[in-house]
Amino acid sequence: MFVDDVTKVYGEGRTAVRALCHASISLQDNEFLALVGPSGSGKTTLLSVIGGLLAPTSGVVTIGDTTLTDLSKKEQTRFRANRIGFVFQGFNLVPFLTAKENMTVMASISDKPRREIDERANQLLEDLGLAERSDNLPEQLSGGERQRVAIGRALVTDPDLILVDEPTASLDTELGTQVVKLLASEIKSRGKAGIMVTHDLRMVEFTDRTVEILDGELLHADGSGAAG
Amino acid sequence: MFIAFRDLWRSKLRFGLLAGAVGLLIFLLLFLNTLSATLLGFFVGAIENSSAEVLVYEGSARRNLQASRLDQSVVVDVAAVPGVSAAAPIGELTLTVDVAGTLTDLSLWGVDLAGPGRPDPIVDGRAPGRGEVVVDASGADEGFEIGNTITLVPSGTELKIVGYVEDLRYAVLATAYIDFDEWTTIFESEFPGTPFVPMSLVGVEPEPGEDSAELGDRITATVAGVEGLERSVAAAAAPGVASISQSFALIIGITFAVVVLVVGFFFLILTIQKLRSFTTLRAIGAGTGYLAFSLVVQIVVLVLLGSMLATAALWAATLGSSASFPLSVDATLVVAITFAVMVFSILAGLLSVRRIARVEPAEAARGGR
Amino acid sequence: MRIALAEMRRRRGRWFSIVGAVAFIVFLVLVLAALADGLFIGTTGALTTGDSDALVYSIDGRRSLVRSELPVSGLSAVANVPGVADVGALGVLLTTGVAGAEPFDAAVIGHLPGHAGEPTQLVDGRRPQVGESGAVLADASLRADGVSLGDTVTIVGSTQPLQVVGFAEDSRYLLAHSLWVPLETWQALRVEVRPETARLGAVVQAFPFLVEEGAALDAVSAAIDDALTTTETITTDEAVLALPGVEQQQSTFTAIIAASFVVVALVIALFFALITLEKRGQLAILKAIGSSNALLLQGVLIQALIATIAGYAGGFVLARLLGFILPPTVPVAFLPATAVSLFLATVAMGGLGAAFSFRRVIRIDPASALGGEA
């Protein structure tokens, strides 16, 4: 995945807000990237641009052999359904679908065969410790459980790129660690790429690389692991 | 109140759509009311709005004008009843006439032009003299205009139209009023050799202070073979009127109920949608009373807005009205209906309040969005 | 589709409310239409129930059944016109009838039993025979007033008692209960009750007739008028409209029904537009996880379809129930054509409303689903 000189500006002239400024990143398969920065630094905006949810004011995003920014909205949506797994900051589960249905809904939305999605969903429910709660509605689940359902939904289509926005925000350390470990293993074992936005520096040890972002600009850090 | 208006303003489209729906339903109510009043007026206006407050029918006719035939001597008997200030003969005859080149039906009423039953008030033109009639203004489209001449078929008798009255139509036919003696002559020429000319009714004017209903009963009891009725009772008893007025009452009643229920349902649905915001509000201390009040305010605004839209639509409809299909915007009716809809909609909206009351404020503190 | 159905299943209360609202709106229009149709039949049944293609009136009568006068002798002249398969006679007398103690508005209709114009919908008993004086076929609406087979009915002003030998459906005239008697009985009654008509002699008011298979109605009508010279022949439909008050009534009710249809259609459309608008948040989420617009539109339309069909069914049932409990003075008739067209309109408008709102909704940026911090 390549992000090439992406700028995102909201508004015009004097009231213009530069959410992203000439940001560039590249990501390989099997790489798990941590995107670290304070509130308002543009992390979510960058993630949205990468996921095709936001169109950049200028710049190009390429995922695999597809130039995402060249695709029509419809094509971007389809791309997102099939090849990207997005875990939102607010989880955004569909309130009237059960935990399992929130995952299997991807069968209707993506082009993947239903049986495959179903099997993946069952497996993920196990792996995420949600097997007992699979028939519960979001309102009946704790914050941590909802978080895990959101992650399950992102993984169920076996996407090439996984984008995660603050996954550990409402989880205790043990659960948080478990979840990030799961993400890392998914990425590694299946050769996917992933970006995790977080301000929890304890989680950085599970990633391959850390990139800092501040006021819309990226500061690259080298090496893996230790906070720096 | 503040929340109510902010909420309304924030979701203009939503409330606009809702106001539109309510407005349409209120329009329907207004339209139906207007039409039913007009149609009934066309059937029995001549009876309901007669200048004779009490009408005396032949007893065995059972309140059916067509079947009521009285000998003219009955007028004297009725006049003698205490409480009767004046009594006059009234005769009704339906005939074919030629007016402005076309053949049409006419209901011709022979009345004492100075007594009860006379066409009153004459809104345009003047009272008829010999060989002249006044007509109900709704017949203008059919050729019954001031200045035109009506030719009776087949006798050829000519009558000139010299004035208009309003709301005095009978049996949906064009209606005209003429002096009773002339009417008698016309009857005889339509039915030569008839043994006697039956009059249909005796029109009665009660003494000041007399109750019409009581006077009617007294006449019934005193004079043999007759039944005295208050004119509104007589109108209601005319053939077909019961069916039509009950049908309309039903139509209007149901429409009203539907308007109220729809508003209630709408608000229930919207409330359930906004439960989260309500929860937050409850959590920060807003009482159920305050939230209920906000809801009431919204309903009031909604119904008022809908009513304005309805009135505008009704006014637009009046542009298409004509003498034979008169429509008008009755301010009293608009106000009455708006008020009624508002009251009942608020009651229906209270269902939503119950839902709000059941919300647990603690919900707001729970995690997730 | 699954998503849409799942939502309806899980949010039952809400969807019941929606179905309920649609049901009431549909109920309104169905009842209005039934009342209009009922009033029409109650007013014109006497002419529509007779199996006739056209009726012969006297020119002077100017299409008015009550004004028209035709000598009975004209019957054979009409029968002899080529193309006429059968001819009957009609005479109407509006007066008051009494059955038991209760008076009622009556239309005494003289006719030729066995010929065109006689009531076709016999529901009980039998028809009077030709020349059988004192026998009457009453409109079935009298049964609600407590009149049964064998009862005696008298006409105010007449001494002749009439015995009810049968009941016919939908044969009323101007909302009065019709009493169908043989022609001679009618003529005798008329002279008794309206002595001024004695001078007219043996007259009737119209000759209803049927044309032979393959004959052109226009041609036959013209031939009849030529042969009799003093007549005007008009089709049964035209005659029905010429009945007093019918045209006015019809135009009033047409206006009412048209207005209601339009209002109801728009209300339903607005309703579903509103509901779809409410779903913005939910639709944004689904779009964010990659759902296509087509899929979401399909879901919204399916919900609208189910809700309008269920709502219509509910409204229909309610309307029929109301029809059963209404008093006989309020005439109602539920005609299939009306029911079907309203059904189609309801479903169509629900779909249109949902689709209209949907257009607005899909312009929403899926990024709005993100929430949180930028």
Side-chain angles (χ1 to χ4, degrees):
Chain A
M1 179 219 73
F2 294 98
V3 172
D4 199 7
D5 197 28
V6 161
T7 300
K8 179 66 182 171
V9 181
Y10 291 103
E12 309 261 307
R14 284 198 314 152
T15 53
V17 173
R18 286 176 155 232
L20 286 177
C21 196
H22 301 293
S24 295
I25 300 188
S26 67
L27 194 64
Q28 307 297 328
D29 285 350
N30 250 304
E31 259 201 281
F32 191 11
L33 180 74
L35 186 58
V36 177
S39 307
S41 54
K43 319 193 283 286
T44 304
T45 310
L46 181 58
L47 219 58
S48 309
V49 168
I50 295 172
L53 282 170
L54 268 184
T57 315
S58 66
V60 176
V61 175
T62 318
I63 298 178
D65 48 8
T66 314
T67 310
L68 192 64
T69 36
D70 279 349
L71 296 179
S72 70
K73 266 204 125 74
K74 204 161 152 202
E75 290 164 329
Q76 282 180 356
T77 305
R78 205 155 155 261
F79 190 86
R80 194 160 63 247
N82 288 311
R83 298 186 49 188
I84 301 181
F86 213 127
V87 184
F88 300 98
Q89 206 169 44
F91 325 146
N92 285 352
L93 300 180
V94 181
F96 52 83
L97 296 177
T98 62
K100 180 163 177 197
E101 283 168 350
N102 260 290
M103 293 191 206
T104 55
V105 74
M106 293 311 294
S108 304
I109 291 175
S110 71
D111 300 325
K112 309 279 160 91
R114 185 163 284 277
R115 207 147 57 106
E116 191 186 299
I117 298 273
D118 209 54
E119 280 169 18
R120 286 272 292 167
N122 285 328
Q123 182 63 48
L124 283 163
L125 285 167
E126 280 281 340
D127 295 341
L128 290 163
L130 290 171
E132 305 288 300
R133 316 285 276 157
S134 63
D135 287 334
N136 289 94
L137 294 171
E139 62 193 14
Q140 299 159 325
L141 300 172
S142 70
E145 286 164 338
R146 292 182 205 171
Q147 173 70 292
R148 287 180 272 155
V149 173
I151 291 172
R153 180 179 70 194
L155 294 174
V156 81
T157 49
D158 200 21
D160 297 332
L161 177 64
I162 302 175
L163 304 171
V164 190
D165 199 347
E166 303 279 5
T168 59
S170 43
L171 299 175
D172 58 40
T173 318
E174 191 191 320
L175 261 179
T177 317
Q178 207 178 319
V179 157
V180 178
K181 267 199 201 166
L182 175 65
L183 284 169
S185 82
E186 274 286 321
I187 291 170
K188 295 302 184 182
S189 61
R190 295 176 183 261
K192 301 180 191 304
I195 303 179
M196 174 173 70
V197 161
T198 183
H199 59 255
D200 186 347
L201 298 174
R202 292 169 298 172
M203 298 302 150
V204 160
E205 72 179 88
F206 299 102
T207 61
D208 300 320
R209 191 154 60 102
T210 307
V211 169
E212 286 178 32
I213 180 169
L214 185 64
D215 294 330
E217 290 185 19
L218 289 172
L219 313 163
H220 287 262
D222 290 312
S224 64
Chain B
M1 180 100 88
F2 175 72
I3 294 182
F5 282 120
R6 291 290 280 144
D7 186 20
L8 269 172
W9 192 247
R10 202 172 46 85
S11 33
K12 280 183 292 253
L13 181 67
R14 219 180 303 167
F15 273 97
L17 287 176
L18 191 48
V22 172
L24 282 171
L25 289 168
I26 294 182
F27 164 75
L28 195 60
L29 264 176
L30 291 171
F31 193 60
L32 292 177
N33 257 295
T34 310
L35 282 182
S36 73
T38 305
L39 191 65
L40 277 173
F42 275 20
F43 266 98
V44 290
I47 300 176
E48 178 125 43
N49 301 320
S50 172
S51 53
E53 286 181 42
V54 175
L55 295 164
V56 181
Y57 286 68
E58 186 193 355
S60 51
R62 316 293 179 135
R63 308 179 176 195
N64 184 343
L65 186 71
Q66 294 292 329
S68 176
R69 312 169 142 252
L70 296 163
D71 188 80
Q72 292 186 33
S73 58
V74 175
V75 181
V76 174
D77 298 335
V78 170
V81 174
V84 171
S85 164
I90 299 177
E92 190 275 334
L93 177 64
T94 307
L95 4 85
T96 312
V97 301
D98 184 321
V99 65
T102 33
L103 285 180
T104 187
D105 286 327
L106 179 73
S107 170
L108 185 64
W109 289 64
V111 294
D112 178 343
L113 291 172
R118 67 188 176 282
D120 190 39
I122 296 181
V123 299
D124 205 0
R126 57 175 174 79
R130 273 204 68 81
E132 295 172 340
V133 294
V134 293
V135 296
D136 185 85
S138 60
D141 285 351
E142 299 153 73
F144 293 90
E145 292 179 85
I146 294 180
N148 283 356
T149 303
I150 303 172
T151 311
L152 304 184
V153 173
S155 61
T157 314
E158 288 192 352
L159 302 167
K160 190 143 177 281
I161 303 174
V162 297
Y164 287 143
V165 287
E166 275 182 340
D167 297 328
L168 284 176
R169 205 160 154 131
Y170 178 68
V172 196
L173 299 165
T175 310
Y177 292 82
I178 196 172
D179 173 70
F180 185 73
D181 291 328
E182 286 198 62
W183 181 87
T184 311
T185 314
I186 290 172
F187 190 100
E188 285 168 339
S189 64
E190 286 291 311
F191 298 101
T194 179
F196 79 111
V197 176
M199 69 183 175
S200 311
L201 307 167
V202 177
V204 168
E205 193 184 306
E207 303 250 342
E210 274 289 339
D211 177 67
S212 302
E214 280 178 24
L215 183 58
D217 291 337
R218 204 178 307 144
I219 295 173
T220 311
T222 314
V223 182
V226 302
E227 187 181 8
L229 297 170
E230 220 184 328
R231 61 188 165 188
S232 52
V233 174
V241 169
S243 286
I244 292 180
S245 54
Q246 279 182 24
S247 295
F248 269 108
L250 190 65
I251 289 173
I252 290 171
I254 292 177
T255 307
F256 185 81
V258 169
V259 171
V260 164
L261 281 168
V262 165
V263 171
F265 269 127
F266 273 9
F267 271 95
L268 196 60
I269 293 166
L270 289 180
T271 304
I272 291 177
Q273 201 70 15
K274 290 198 292 242
L275 230 36
R276 193 164 290 148
S277 331
F278 282 125
T279 311
T280 312
L281 287 169
R282 289 285 302 275
I284 63 174
T288 313
Y290 179 76
L291 293 175
F293 180 67
S294 295
L295 191 70
V296 168
V297 166
Q298 287 183 341
I299 292 181
V300 167
V301 170
L302 187 74
V303 173
L304 280 176
L305 197 58
S307 178
M308 289 195 296
L309 289 170
T311 309
L314 189 64
W315 181 83
T318 61
L319 297 176
S321 76
S322 58
S324 49
F325 207 76
L327 287 172
S328 59
V329 181
D330 182 352
T332 327
L333 186 69
V334 173
V335 169
I337 285 185
T338 304
F339 183 71
V341 170
M342 199 176 302
V343 165
F344 282 92
S345 299
I346 290 174
L347 286 175
L350 290 180
L351 279 173
S352 302
V353 174
R354 275 188 52 218
R355 192 67 189 83
I356 296 174
R358 285 195 288 163
V359 167
E360 276 289 343
E363 287 276 324
R366 290 199 58 197
R369 306 284 174 93
Chain C
M1 172 138 83
R2 286 166 178 250
I3 311 173
L5 293 177
E7 196 212 335
M8 292 185 92
R9 246 181 302 134
R10 297 276 155 69
R11 290 241 183 292
R12 239 177 277 257
R14 180 168 199 252
W15 285 95
F16 274 154
S17 300
I18 292 172
V19 167
V22 173
F24 275 108
I25 294 174
V26 164
F27 166 70
L28 175 66
V29 181
L30 280 176
V31 172
L32 284 185
L35 285 168
D37 290 333
L39 268 175
F40 182 73
I41 292 181
T43 308
T44 64
L47 286 187
T48 51
T49 189
D51 187 17
S52 62
D53 292 323
L55 294 104
V56 182
Y57 284 63
S58 69
I59 290 187
D60 296 344
R62 225 235 80 207
R63 301 189 173 203
S64 162
L65 194 56
V66 181
R67 298 266 65 73
S68 166
E69 286 162 15
L70 296 164
V72 175
S73 53
L75 255 180
S76 46
V78 174
N80 287 335
V81 172
V84 173
D86 179 38
V87 60
L90 279 181
V92 179
L93 174 67
L94 287 173
T95 180
T96 309
V98 183
E102 280 309 303
F104 59 90
D105 297 322
V108 181
I109 306 183
H111 70 298
L112 282 180
H115 289 275
E118 82 173 338
T120 48
Q121 292 168 276
L122 188 70
V123 292
D124 205 2
R126 62 168 179 88
R127 303 171 192 283
Q129 313 282 44
V130 178
E132 184 185 356
S133 77
V136 60
L137 175 66
D139 184 80
S141 56
L142 273 173
R143 287 191 295 191
D145 285 355
V147 177
S148 353
L149 280 181
D151 282 359
T152 305
V153 170
T154 48
I155 303 299
V156 165
S158 159
T159 49
Q160 167 158 47
L162 300 168
Q163 196 187 48
V164 177
V165 300
F167 286 106
E169 191 95 80
D170 289 340
S171 69
R172 294 203 290 163
Y173 181 71
L174 299 186
L175 296 172
H177 302 289
S178 52
L179 299 167
W180 296 77
V181 294
L183 206 53
E184 303 74 19
T185 313
W186 177 79
Q187 283 163 339
L189 275 169
R190 198 185 190 211
V191 169
E192 261 192 286
V193 175
R194 299 273 156 84
E196 70 272 13
T197 59
R199 56 114 187 164
L200 299 169
V203 293
V204 295
Q205 277 146 350
F207 297 136
F209 66 90
L210 285 164
V211 292
E212 281 167 1
E213 200 66 49
L217 184 60
D218 292 344
V220 175
S221 303
I224 292 175
D225 290 337
D226 283 341
L228 276 68
T229 66
T230 54
T231 58
E232 185 189 1
T233 305
I234 54 177
T235 65
T236 309
D237 290 334
E238 289 173 316
V240 164
L241 280 178
L243 289 175
V246 170
E247 214 172 338
Q248 190 77 25
Q249 224 173 275
Q250 279 306 93
S251 53
T252 303
F253 271 102
T254 303
I256 289 177
I257 303 246
S260 328
F261 248 84
V262 168
V263 165
V264 163
L266 284 173
V267 166
I268 289 181
L270 282 172
F271 200 36
F272 279 91
L274 191 67
I275 289 169
T276 307
L277 209 57
E278 287 293 300
K279 291 195 179 188
R280 246 178 326 210
Q282 177 191 315
L283 293 172
I285 295 175
L286 289 168
K287 273 195 85 173
I289 60 178
S291 179
S292 68
N293 284 335
L295 185 71
L296 296 178
L297 179 63
Q298 189 192 65
V300 158
L301 285 178
I302 294 238
Q303 287 178 336
L305 190 72
I306 295 177
T308 49
I309 292 180
Y312 182 86
F316 187 80
V317 167
L318 278 175
R320 294 305 297 236
L321 282 176
L322 185 72
F324 280 127
I325 66 172
L326 280 176
T329 32
V330 183
V332 273
F334 289 94
L335 299 180
T338 318
V340 169
S341 47
L342 184 63
F343 175 72
L344 293 173
T346 305
V347 172
M349 293 316 278
L352 277 173
F356 172 76
S357 249
F358 188 79
R359 275 185 52 232
R360 255 199 136 245
V361 161
I362 58 175
R363 286 193 268 133
I364 289 162
D365 212 336
S368 66
L370 298 180
E373 305 147 2

